[in-house]
Amino acid sequence: MSEFSKSHLLILAFIAGVFWLVPLHRIYGRLGLGKGWTWLALFPPIGMILLWIAAFARWPLEDEPRPDLRDGESN
């Protein structure tokens, strides 16, 4: 087995970062948080704290009244 060079590890870190940061950016945007929160998630202890904040935060979607669809009517 050959070892990974520094460029391979850099590419792997970039791909992993994209797969980690893009969803978090969208989640934090829906919560009304800024872009800076996404960059803080790169640090594992802070990222875990931010996930707990997102899990227990009040989501704007929860504040909107839900339509009563029991009558069979759509929008």
Side-chain angles (χ1 to χ4, degrees), residues 24-46:
L24 285 178
H25 177 72
R26 291 185 52 104
I27 290 170
Y28 296 148
R30 289 181 183 180
L31 282 171
L33 299 174
K35 295 178 182 178
W37 291 97
T38 305
W39 292 108
L40 286 174
L42 286 173
F43 305 102
I46 297 172

Side-chain angles (χ1 to χ4, degrees), residues 3 9 12 15-16 35 40-41 43 54 56 58 68-69 75:
E3 294 183 21
L9 292 176
L12 183 64
I15 292 171
K35 295 178 182 178
L40 286 174
F43 305 102
F56 294 105
R58 185 102 180 132
D68 189 12
L69 298 178
N75 295 348

Side-chain angles (χ1 to χ4, degrees), residues 5-67:
S5 67
K6 289 181 183 180
S7 62
H8 287 111
L9 292 176
L10 185 63
I11 292 169
L12 183 64
F14 176 76
I15 292 171
V18 167
F19 279 108
W20 175 249
L21 293 178
V22 170
L24 285 178
H25 177 72
R26 291 185 52 104
I27 290 170
Y28 296 148
R30 289 181 183 180
L31 282 171
L33 299 174
K35 295 178 182 178
W37 291 97
T38 305
W39 292 108
L40 286 174
L42 286 173
F43 305 102
I46 297 172
M48 271 307 211
I49 293 169
L50 290 174
L51 284 176
W52 276 84
I53 290 170
F56 294 105
R58 185 102 180 132
W59 288 67
L61 208 73
E62 292 176 353
D63 296 334
E64 296 177 5
R66 295 185 180 189

